[in-house]
Amino acid sequence: MVNVPELFGSLVFDERTMKERLPKQTYKTLKKTIREGKPLDINVANIVANAMKDWAVENGCTHYTHWFQPMTGVTAEKHDSFINPNDDGTVIMEFSGKELIKGEPDASSFPSGGIRATFEARGYTTWDPTSYAFIKDGSLCIPTAFCSYTGDVLDKKTPLLRSMEAISNAAVRVLRLFGDKETTRVITTVGPEQEYFLIDKAMFDSRKDLTYTGRTLFGARAPKGQELEDHYFGKIKDKVSAFMKDLDTELWKLGIYAKTKHNEVAPAQHELAPIFTTTNLATDHNQLTMEMMKRIANRHGMECLLHEKPFAGVNGSGKHNNWSISTNDGRNLLNPGKDPYNDHQFLLFLVAVIKAVDEYQDLLRISAASAGNDHRLGANEAPPAIVSMFIGTDLEDILEAYLAGRDYNAHVAEKVKTGVEVLADFNKDTTDRNRTSPFAFTGNKFEFRMLGSSDNISCPNIMLNTMVAEELTQFADELEQAENFDEAVVELIKRTYREHKRIVFNGNNYAPEWVDEAERRGLMNLRTTPAAVAHYIDQKNEDLFKKHKIYSTAELHARYEILLENYSKIINIEALTMIDMAKKDIIPAVSKFVKELVETASAKKALSAEITAELEVELAAKLSKLQLCFSKRIDKLDALLIKAGDVTGKQELANYYADEVFPAMQEAREVADEMEMSMDAKAWPYASYGQMLYSVK
Ligand code: ADP
Ligand code: MG
């Protein structure tokens, strides 16, 4: 039996441990640092570091590492041992405040978007005391921010912390206007729901495409996919269940609030949702969750796929970023309460989000843009590439009533009658959910649903925090000057909703008519990563990030370039992998199989003139034709990759990969999949979709 409360956070140097292990005064100073973002004195840091080291060593650690999130999208760590030599040749375990606060990894090989030339390889990592240190794999991990020698940010954590500060400052100003004198800080909270696939490890290892790119580049559809909808919330298989239990335990030890787990829509697809927490922590935790998923799957002889589209023809994986704003004493500012119609403060925060989503649609789209996620957005499973928002019929009615200057009659919660005596009737939510909306209000939070499963959630939250900070700042600027505050608020709510209601769409986002309707409304439809990312450096976005001190011009341009470069590199690797698989495995396999067919045909003919070898002959002919066509398409792909060398400009190159290379890959795949369908399963060089999707029992 696991004792969850005891287990929970046992590998984290959290408040409980700090309190236990630090002198009272040190604990107090440290808490002040954490709460108020005060700089940490070196003497305090020395005491904290020593206590951390003792705790870590008692828990089996020999090393420590600054754990950071460079712009690769994954976390990075470089381990140093605690040992320090004594004069007599022995060693002691030491960890200083300096080592805790600052690290100097050679940063030259992390993407910097040209900010830092390779000869200026120095980068600094600095401890983020708002995120607790933890133990992973025998190392004490210190969550850190990462910047260059010149102070430019090179990571995803620093801008996130900056954006949290920006929204806090702006929101507190607005709260003051409503007479709130207590709130000193406002924080954003996030609960990220994480989707993933589990397949047999040996099958994963046998496929170069999965190994190199995380997704299948070839593969004919299995006879059964998700059409019966029998996997969603279905019974969890024993092996998966054992994995999930193990995962929960490991996550709990790391202080991660793993809460909900269930099967998802596609076969072999599952989901994990944690209980929400501060955005900064939620981001660190989500990165750790993804890492643990992969590691623990391996322990169980499986591979966890976090790619957005590992298999064509069945749903891909996303991540839902549930986001809200609350005060430092835990009041959720997006909670509509009992009487939202008369709650001007709530309505003002609501229209701030509406205005933000409308004005910065492109930033939200960019935050979900990646080569992997391009397979989902716009397909019939994830929200479309068009950003719109759902606020529910109740809130829409309220805002419409404001516009029309009429009263609003609250919908009375109806009882749902189950018609069965022993089952209690229950109150119906006054508004249904909209599962197709990319940005949906779900009771007391917004759910941003465009994210890909492998995304680091810092980017969407940087965008969200910053854009809402901007709107709240504008509101505060205006309202602080108002002569009659109450009237001014109502006017502002009305005006903002009128000007930005085009972004509100409560209908079916998958319907083809929505594309036309959205265009009429003037909403953006950015279909591919290069098309979306192009807007990152638009003047209005640069102004936004500079005003709120999130990114300098150089930092913004660096990010823009990294996204584009990353996209081009991914498509290039995928194309190269395809060519490799085609030439080394698929084409030879088809030749071999055709040879077998021909041999069988002649053996049959030799046996007797009466026996027909029509089947073998026809099949051999068909496959030979397809094989030739395939080989030509692969050659074309090869030629396109060579031509890519001539394309200048990062944006142009990314466009080239999207417009020329990607379609050529699709064309090659089509033929390969057709050949797979016509071949002996044993003759095909790779595990089939059917085998992979139903590989875990
Ligand atoms: P779903 O039906 O989409 O699975 P749930 O109600 O289970 O939705 O919640 C999904 C996620 O939203 C959970 O991670 C939950 O902790 C998170 N969540 C709930 N309230 C908030 C909030 N105020 N701020 C951020 N996330 C929240
Ligand atoms: Mg959800």
Side-chain angles (χ1 to χ4, degrees):
M1 266 293 273
V2 265
N3 180 342
V4 180
E6 199 169 287
L7 191 77
F8 191 84
S10 56
L11 294 180
V12 187
F13 197 75
D14 55 14
E15 295 233 359
R16 190 178 53 177
T17 317
M18 285 179 198
K19 211 168 175 175
E20 254 170 45
R21 301 210 165 226
L22 294 175
K24 221 173 182 167
Q25 199 48 46
T26 315
Y27 173 70
K28 266 195 179 156
T29 320
L30 184 59
K31 267 195 78 173
K32 213 173 164 69
T33 303
I34 295 172
R35 292 263 153 83
E36 295 165 26
K38 292 255 182 325
L40 197 64
D41 178 81
I42 186 69
N43 296 317
V44 178
N46 277 329
I47 302 173
V48 177
N50 194 53
M52 268 188 190
K53 183 259 306 170
D54 285 346
W55 168 78
V57 170
E58 281 167 36
N59 281 286
C61 288
T62 50
H63 287 69
Y64 73 91
T65 176
H66 277 199
W67 184 79
F68 58 103
Q69 299 172 31
M71 291 183 283
T72 49
V74 291
T75 49
E77 40 196 77
K78 175 186 147 222
H79 301 256
D80 284 300
S81 70
F82 289 122
I83 62 165
N84 244 330
N86 286 325
D87 290 343
D88 62 0
T90 58
V91 292
I92 49 164
M93 302 295 258
E94 265 183 356
F95 185 46
S96 69
K98 193 167 155 275
E99 286 167 314
L100 166 64
I101 293 179
K102 195 169 119 196
E104 271 183 59
D106 175 348
S108 56
S109 298
F110 291 111
S112 73
I115 281 186
R116 179 188 19 70
T118 344
F119 57 85
E120 298 164 340
R122 207 146 17 145
Y124 291 118
T125 50
T126 41
W127 182 33
D128 164 22
T130 61
S131 184
Y132 302 126
F134 57 90
I135 292 173
K136 182 167 65 77
D137 219 13
S139 279
L140 171 68
C141 300
I142 322 281
T144 51
F146 180 45
C147 68
S148 73
Y149 182 63
T150 49
D152 294 310
V153 288
L154 295 175
D155 72 343
K156 301 192 173 210
K157 185 188 264 288
T158 315
L160 179 65
L161 292 170
R162 289 176 179 171
S163 74
M164 289 173 72
E165 219 160 285
I167 193 170
S168 175
N169 294 338
V172 169
R173 273 179 71 192
V174 170
L175 291 178
R176 288 285 180 273
L177 290 164
F178 283 96
D180 173 342
K181 296 194 185 69
E182 283 81 54
T183 302
T184 51
R185 262 185 42 198
V186 162
I187 51 165
T188 54
T189 51
V190 166
E193 299 164 68
Q194 176 73 47
E195 290 181 342
Y196 60 97
F197 279 85
L198 286 175
I199 66 165
D200 181 75
K201 174 99 175 74
M203 278 181 202
F204 173 89
D205 289 340
S206 77
R207 293 197 60 126
K208 290 176 189 163
D209 45 8
L210 284 174
T211 312
Y212 296 149
T213 74
R215 76 178 180 103
T216 52
L217 299 168
F218 297 109
R221 313 288 147 90
K224 178 175 185 288
Q226 63 193 45
E227 47 288 280
L228 292 180
E229 296 172 340
D230 52 352
H231 192 256
Y232 191 52
F233 281 24
K235 181 184 164 304
I236 297 171
K237 290 176 181 148
D238 291 347
K239 211 167 165 187
V240 175
S241 173
F243 158 85
M244 286 175 167
K245 276 197 188 122
D246 222 7
L247 178 64
D248 277 343
T249 308
E250 293 304 320
L251 294 180
W252 289 335
K253 283 190 205 162
L254 287 167
I256 297 171
Y257 307 105
K259 170 93 174 157
T260 313
K261 50 190 181 185
H262 61 78
N263 285 350
E264 259 299 329
V265 174
Q269 193 185 31
H270 313 279
E271 182 186 290
L272 178 140
I275 298 171
F276 70 97
T277 182
T278 316
T279 307
N280 175 31
L281 266 186
T283 306
D284 287 356
H285 285 176
N286 182 246
Q287 290 298 117
L288 276 174
T289 300
M290 292 194 285
E291 189 184 327
M292 285 299 159
M293 282 177 164
K294 289 202 156 281
R295 188 183 294 196
I296 290 163
N298 284 172
R299 259 192 228 161
H300 290 258
M302 298 185 289
E303 190 70 38
C304 171
L305 308 179
L306 290 170
H307 192 283
E308 284 73 19
K309 193 75 182 174
F311 304 102
V314 295
N315 274 5
S317 298
K319 179 138 62 189
H320 291 175
N321 190 81
N322 294 275
W323 175 91
S324 193
I325 326 173
S326 87
T327 60
N328 50 321
D329 55 5
R331 266 179 307 127
N332 183 349
L333 297 171
L334 292 177
N335 186 351
K338 288 223 156 54
D339 183 15
Y341 180 72
N342 290 306
D343 186 344
H344 294 163
Q345 183 185 300
F346 165 73
L347 291 177
L348 194 65
F349 275 93
L350 177 68
V351 294
V353 180
I354 293 175
K355 181 169 189 278
V357 176
D358 185 30
E359 287 180 342
Y360 300 102
Q361 297 160 42
D362 46 354
L363 290 184
L364 286 178
R365 172 66 183 90
I366 290 164
S367 78
S370 67
N373 216 15
D374 278 2
H375 298 282
R376 297 174 64 241
L377 300 179
N380 205 21
E381 51 177 290
I386 305 164
V387 175
S388 71
M389 64 198 288
F390 171 79
I391 57 171
T393 41
D394 281 356
L395 294 179
E396 197 180 8
D397 284 355
I398 289 177
L399 290 171
E400 288 295 338
Y402 266 84
L403 274 196
R406 64 172 157 80
D407 282 344
Y408 162 76
N409 294 318
H411 295 228
V412 183
E414 286 171 49
K415 288 264 185 226
V416 174
K417 299 229 186 299
T418 55
V420 180
E421 200 82 39
V422 292
L423 299 177
D425 292 340
F426 53 90
N427 278 344
K428 197 169 143 177
D429 288 328
T430 49
T431 184
D432 198 3
R433 295 176 161 232
N434 183 326
R435 294 242 167 242
T436 67
S437 176
F439 199 93
F441 188 71
T442 46
N444 59 4
K445 62 184 192 290
F446 280 99
E447 183 170 0
F448 179 43
R449 299 185 176 132
M450 280 172 120
L451 293 184
S453 46
S454 68
D455 283 335
N456 179 316
I457 60 168
S458 61
C459 188
N461 289 298
I462 293 166
M463 305 297 200
L464 260 170
N465 294 345
T466 311
M467 58 208 227
V468 176
E470 169 58 20
E471 311 306 357
L472 292 173
T473 305
Q474 287 183 20
F475 288 178
D477 287 344
E478 184 174 330
L479 293 172
E480 279 164 5
Q481 305 302 321
E483 283 174 16
N484 182 329
F485 177 73
D486 292 335
E487 276 174 22
V489 170
V490 172
E491 270 319 298
L492 184 55
I493 291 169
K494 274 163 71 170
R495 189 183 79 222
T496 309
Y497 181 60
R498 188 184 326 113
E499 285 171 2
H500 300 284
K501 62 184 263 193
R502 66 169 186 166
I503 197 75
V504 175
F505 177 60
N506 289 344
N508 178 6
N509 283 259
Y510 298 160
E513 306 84 62
W514 169 232
V515 178
D516 301 329
E517 166 67 15
E519 197 179 335
R520 271 195 298 280
R521 294 188 187 192
L523 301 181
M524 293 171 123
N525 186 1
L526 303 166
R527 287 189 180 83
T528 63
T529 295
V533 172
H535 290 277
Y536 210 173
I537 51 173
D538 283 356
Q539 193 60 48
K540 78 167 175 51
N541 296 334
E542 185 177 331
D543 291 346
L544 173 80
F545 290 121
K546 274 167 82 173
K547 177 173 171 186
H548 295 278
K549 304 199 167 45
I550 311 298
Y551 298 129
S552 65
T553 304
E555 287 168 348
L556 180 65
H557 280 253
R559 263 150 229 265
Y560 158 75
E561 287 191 7
I562 288 171
L563 281 178
L564 290 174
E565 243 174 41
N566 192 261
Y567 175 85
S568 299
K569 281 182 190 164
I570 286 175
I571 306 286
N572 194 57
I573 292 170
E574 288 185 348
L576 286 173
T577 305
M578 268 191 139
I579 294 168
D580 183 278
M581 291 170 82
K583 293 193 175 167
K584 299 223 170 90
D585 303 331
I586 298 177
I587 293 174
V590 178
S591 289
K592 208 166 145 215
F593 184 60
V594 168
K595 181 167 167 256
E596 268 173 37
L597 288 171
V598 173
E599 280 170 4
T600 311
S602 34
K604 275 189 176 177
K605 280 183 198 153
L607 209 58
S608 137
E610 253 108 82
I611 298 179
T612 168
E614 214 175 314
L615 176 78
E616 285 80 6
V617 172
E618 264 179 30
L619 190 53
K622 178 185 165 188
L623 280 170
S624 299
K625 238 194 226 155
L626 286 171
Q627 189 192 24
L628 182 62
C629 169
F630 180 60
S631 166
K632 283 187 176 154
R633 290 187 183 187
I634 288 294
D635 287 344
K636 181 184 159 199
L637 187 59
D638 216 348
L640 283 171
L641 290 190
I642 293 167
K643 251 179 71 191
D646 300 335
V647 182
T648 47
K650 294 208 162 64
Q651 180 74 55
E652 289 74 10
L653 186 61
N655 294 346
Y656 176 81
Y657 274 104
D659 302 337
E660 309 286 336
V661 179
F662 186 72
M665 286 164 61
Q666 298 291 84
E667 281 170 20
R669 176 183 181 143
E670 253 169 48
V671 195
D673 292 356
E674 202 181 332
M675 291 192 291
E676 186 186 347
M677 293 289 280
S678 306
M679 293 222 340
D680 177 351
K682 290 188 201 74
W684 192 252
Y686 304 113
S688 72
Y689 263 39
Q691 286 169 323
M692 285 185 283
L693 286 169
Y694 300 97
S695 60
V696 175
K697 302 285 184 253

